[in-house]
Amino acid sequence: MAHHEPHEEVTGDRMNWLRAGVLGANDGIVSTASLVVGVAGATTDRTQILIAGLAGLFAGAMSMASGEYVSVSSQRDAERSLLAKERQELRDMPEEELEELTEIYENKGLDPETAEEVARQLTKHDALAAHAEAELHIDPDELTNPWGAAIASFVSFTIGALLPLAAIALTPTSLRVPITVVAAIVTLALTGFVSAKLSGANKQRAIIRNVAGGLIAMGVTYAIGSLVGQSIG
C-alpha cells in the first residue's frame, strides 16, 4: 500500500516571516535584558530603569523593523531584476532558453529525450515560471514581502523585550537582576530551540549558543553599569 505523507509547503515569504520573528524576539530579549540589567547595576531607581528599558524597546523595535524592510526590499528588487532579465531572454532567444532548460533537467538525472520533453511541456505551460524555478529558484508568484518581515520583526522584538522589562519592573530590588537573568535564559533557550527547529540545525548547540551570548551581553553591561554607578556616586 502506498503511504501518503502530508507535506506542508513553506514558501520563501513565509520563511522570511518566521526568520524575522525568531530573530526579532531573540534580539528583543538580549538587548533589553542587557540594557535594564546594566542600568540596574548603576541605579536602584525603578523609574530610571523603566524609562531606559522602554526607550530601548521602541528604539530596538523600530531599528529591527526598518532593517528587515531594507534587507528584504533589496532581496525583492534583486528577484524582480532577475525575472525581468529572464523575460527578455525568453522573448529574444527562446530556442537557446529551451536548450538551457533541457540541460538543467539532464543534469538532474533525466535522459536527453525525457529532459527535452519535460522542458517543452513546462515552457508551453508557463515558460517564465519554469525557468525561474529551475534556474533562479524563484517563484514569480511568491516574491518576498518586505512589509511582512518588518511587521513580524517589530512585533516579535516588542514581545521579546517586554519579558525582561516586566521581570525587572515587577520584582523586589534585591531580586531584580537575578530574576531578569533567569527569565532571559529561559526565553533565549526557547528562541534557540525554535530557530534550530526552523533551520533543521542541532537544537542543543543552538540553545547553548543563544544562552551563552545573552549571558555574556548581560554580564558585560551589568559590569559597565556598576562601574559607571560607582564613579558617578
Side-chain angles (χ1 to χ4, degrees):
M1 293 179 64
H3 296 281
H4 299 286
E5 298 180 4
H7 295 281
E8 183 178 356
E9 183 180 0
V10 179
T11 64
D13 190 38
R14 183 185 174 196
M15 185 56 69
N16 265 317
W17 279 57
L18 294 172
R19 177 189 58 81
V22 172
L23 291 178
N26 194 71
D27 285 352
I29 296 163
V30 174
S31 62
T32 306
S34 300
L35 177 61
V36 295
V37 164
V39 177
T43 180
T44 58
D45 189 295
R46 189 185 302 270
T47 302
Q48 292 185 31
I49 296 173
L50 283 176
I51 290 173
L54 286 170
L57 185 157
F58 286 109
M62 292 302 299
S63 175
M64 284 290 296
S66 62
E68 280 294 328
Y69 182 83
V70 171
S71 174
V72 178
S73 291
S74 298
Q75 179 182 345
R76 187 183 181 93
D77 291 343
E79 290 173 346
R80 285 174 169 170
S81 177
L82 289 171
L83 289 173
K85 181 180 178 182
E86 196 63 38
R87 285 190 188 94
Q88 182 177 352
E89 290 176 349
L90 286 168
R91 183 173 58 251
D92 296 343
M93 42 186 183
E95 290 302 320
E96 289 84 348
E97 286 296 295
L98 179 61
E99 291 177 7
E100 185 179 24
L101 190 60
T102 300
E103 184 177 346
I104 289 173
Y105 285 111
E106 283 185 41
N107 292 334
K108 288 184 176 182
L110 298 181
D111 61 74
E113 293 78 12
T114 304
E116 182 178 0
E117 180 61 24
V118 169
R120 288 189 180 278
Q121 291 289 338
L122 290 175
T123 299
K124 182 179 179 181
H125 176 70
D126 190 333
L128 179 61
H131 284 265
E133 188 278 331
E135 294 180 47
L136 309 175
H137 308 292
I138 297 174
D139 184 345
D141 298 323
E142 292 288 347
L143 297 183
T144 51
N145 182 358
W147 283 109
I151 292 170
S153 184
F154 181 90
V155 172
S156 60
F157 184 99
T158 301
I159 293 172
L162 284 173
L163 298 174
L165 192 58
I168 208 161
L170 300 176
T171 52
T173 302
S174 60
L175 297 175
R176 283 176 182 169
V177 172
I179 287 179
T180 302
V181 170
V182 170
I185 289 173
V186 172
T187 49
L188 285 172
L190 179 60
T191 57
F193 175 84
V194 173
S195 64
K197 184 78 172 177
L198 291 175
S199 62
N202 182 282
K203 297 179 181 64
Q204 183 178 0
R205 188 180 300 119
I207 291 171
I208 293 173
R209 184 171 56 235
N210 239 24
V211 171
L215 285 173
I216 292 171
M218 288 183 285
V220 170
T221 53
Y222 181 76
I224 293 172
S226 299
L227 290 174
V228 171
Q230 292 173 8
S231 300
I232 295 175

